[in-house]
Amino acid sequence: MDLQLKGKVVFVTGGGKGIGGGITLALAREGAIPIVLSRSAILPEFKEELEALTQDYEFIQIDLNETDKIQPIVDDVAKRRGAIYGIVNNAGANDNKDLETTSWRDFEKSLHENLTHYYELVHAAVQHLKASQGSILNISSKTALTGQGKTSAYAAAKGAILGLTREWAAALAKDHVRSNAIVVSECWTPLYANWIKTFEDPEARKKVIADKIPFEQRFTSVEEIADMAVFLLSPLSSHTTAQWVFVDGGYVHLDRALS
Ligand code: NAP
């Protein structure tokens, strides 16, 4: 299937590893031009994998928490590339800022880290998205809908991201710009692998989590998220907007007591 993404410029935040990395590779496979915004330098193995698919990409190192740096980057890419078609807002991390011990200052700081750059990147690129009748994709989390019990700020940020997805779909419908979100529950990524190592018996913990995922009792793969991402970005989903798409093995909607 040709997703009609050939030559289209798409920003991917945190697009050098994990879910964002998978989306960058899937875009490259479709002939799109990924513009990766990443805090850390490109990993050699990721570079090799990406360059086996395309030479036409950019890897721009930026800490998105330094939010004022986003607009100049967007302006520069737009000037050099002539158009911007898509935004994938993906960078973020569950920082476990719980209700009882987190000050409002730390709460706000966490919102800044998980939410503000989602807004700013779309704000910075909106005229270009309108000009190309483009597409926005936000990565959210099940915690926005199920809670997790110890992560107030992250859950608030991910809930706000779902709200923004609908707000932007409403604001930009007249301009033929679509806005959708993917809700992730349990996807095996470097972030997840590091977190699981904090448990005494990581393998046992991994099995406990996987057993609660209704469909096939396994983690979602990065590729399964990326395949949905490129479809939602692409003109082939031309009448799909304002959607929260759950790529989660039924985690949020099915009874997790199913066995
Ligand atoms: P990951 O493996 O840590 O990859 C995220 C990438 O984003 C990393 O390269 C990270 O850079 C980068 N990043 C984070 N904050 C950044 C910033 N301020 N500026 C620039 N780059 C930044 O994480 P992941 O598991 O793929 O998660 C991706 C998204 O999915 C996140 O929004 C996460 O909340 C969401 N999610 C994931 C899961 C899951 O099961 N994995 C579940 C629900 C939601 P560094 O390497 O420098 O840290």
Side-chain angles (χ1 to χ4, degrees), residues 13-21 37-40 62-66 89-94 113-114 117-118 139-143 154 158 183-192 219 222:
T13 68
K17 67 164 81 139
I19 292 168
L37 302 185
S38 169
R39 180 165 49 199
S40 37
I62 171 185
D63 182 343
L64 293 156
N65 300 330
E66 296 176 36
N89 272 318
N90 160 77
N94 188 345
E113 291 167 3
N114 277 304
H117 55 84
Y118 273 54
I139 302 297
S140 183
S141 161
K142 69 168 175 14
T143 54
Y154 178 75
K158 291 302 189 187
V183 181
V184 183
S185 290
E186 309 286 2
C187 177
W188 194 251
T189 64
L191 185 75
Y192 214 117
F219 283 73
V222 161

Side-chain angles (χ1 to χ4, degrees), residues 125-193:
V126 68
Q127 298 308 328
H128 304 291
L129 295 173
K130 285 162 74 167
S132 59
Q133 301 192 350
S135 186
I136 300 162
L137 179 66
N138 293 321
I139 302 297
S140 183
S141 161
K142 69 168 175 14
T143 54
L145 298 144
T146 63
Q148 202 173 50
K150 52 179 179 357
T151 192
S152 285
Y154 178 75
K158 291 302 189 187
I161 285 161
L162 295 180
L164 286 176
T165 302
R166 294 245 158 103
E167 168 60 16
W168 294 339
L172 298 171
K174 63 182 181 319
D175 302 300
H176 311 275
V177 175
R178 297 175 301 107
S179 169
N180 293 291
I182 291 180
V183 181
V184 183
S185 290
E186 309 286 2
C187 177
W188 194 251
T189 64
L191 185 75
Y192 214 117

Side-chain angles (χ1 to χ4, degrees), residues 22 32 45-46 62-63 67 84 94 112 115 119 139 147 150 152 163-164 186 200 206 209 221 226 252:
E45 59 273 23
F46 182 76
I62 171 185
D63 182 343
T67 312
I84 295 170
N94 188 345
H112 182 77
L115 176 63
Y119 174 79
I139 302 297
K150 52 179 179 357
S152 285
L164 286 176
E186 309 286 2
E200 207 170 291
K206 192 176 169 187
I209 295 167
S221 72
V252 173

Side-chain angles (χ1 to χ4, degrees), residues 7-149:
K8 293 195 189 308
V9 172
V10 181
F11 279 86
V12 187
T13 68
K17 67 164 81 139
I19 292 168
I23 295 172
T24 298
L25 294 174
L27 284 166
R29 218 166 277 128
E30 292 301 321
I33 303 168
I35 311 290
V36 175
L37 302 185
S38 169
R39 180 165 49 199
S40 37
I42 192 163
L43 296 169
E45 59 273 23
F46 182 76
K47 186 169 192 277
E48 198 179 315
E49 209 177 339
L50 182 55
E51 291 188 356
L53 296 166
T54 186
Q55 297 296 315
D56 200 1
Y57 73 92
E58 294 185 35
F59 199 97
I60 300 170
Q61 239 180 303
I62 171 185
D63 182 343
L64 293 156
N65 300 330
E66 296 176 36
T67 312
D68 285 334
K69 292 187 174 166
I70 293 175
Q71 180 81 61
I73 289 174
V74 169
D75 292 346
D76 178 57
V77 169
K79 199 165 153 203
R80 285 185 292 102
R81 298 284 183 173
I84 295 170
Y85 171 80
I87 303 285
V88 180
N89 272 318
N90 160 77
N94 188 345
D95 51 9
N96 294 309
K97 302 289 179 205
D98 78 341
L99 175 63
E100 295 192 29
T101 65
T102 304
S103 69
W104 67 262
R105 283 188 180 78
D106 285 343
F107 177 81
E108 270 194 6
K109 180 171 177 288
S110 175
L111 286 187
H112 182 77
E113 291 167 3
N114 277 304
L115 176 63
T116 307
H117 55 84
Y118 273 54
Y119 174 79
E120 178 58 9
L121 183 54
V122 173
H123 170 72
V126 68
Q127 298 308 328
H128 304 291
L129 295 173
K130 285 162 74 167
S132 59
Q133 301 192 350
S135 186
I136 300 162
L137 179 66
N138 293 321
I139 302 297
S140 183
S141 161
K142 69 168 175 14
T143 54
L145 298 144
T146 63
Q148 202 173 50

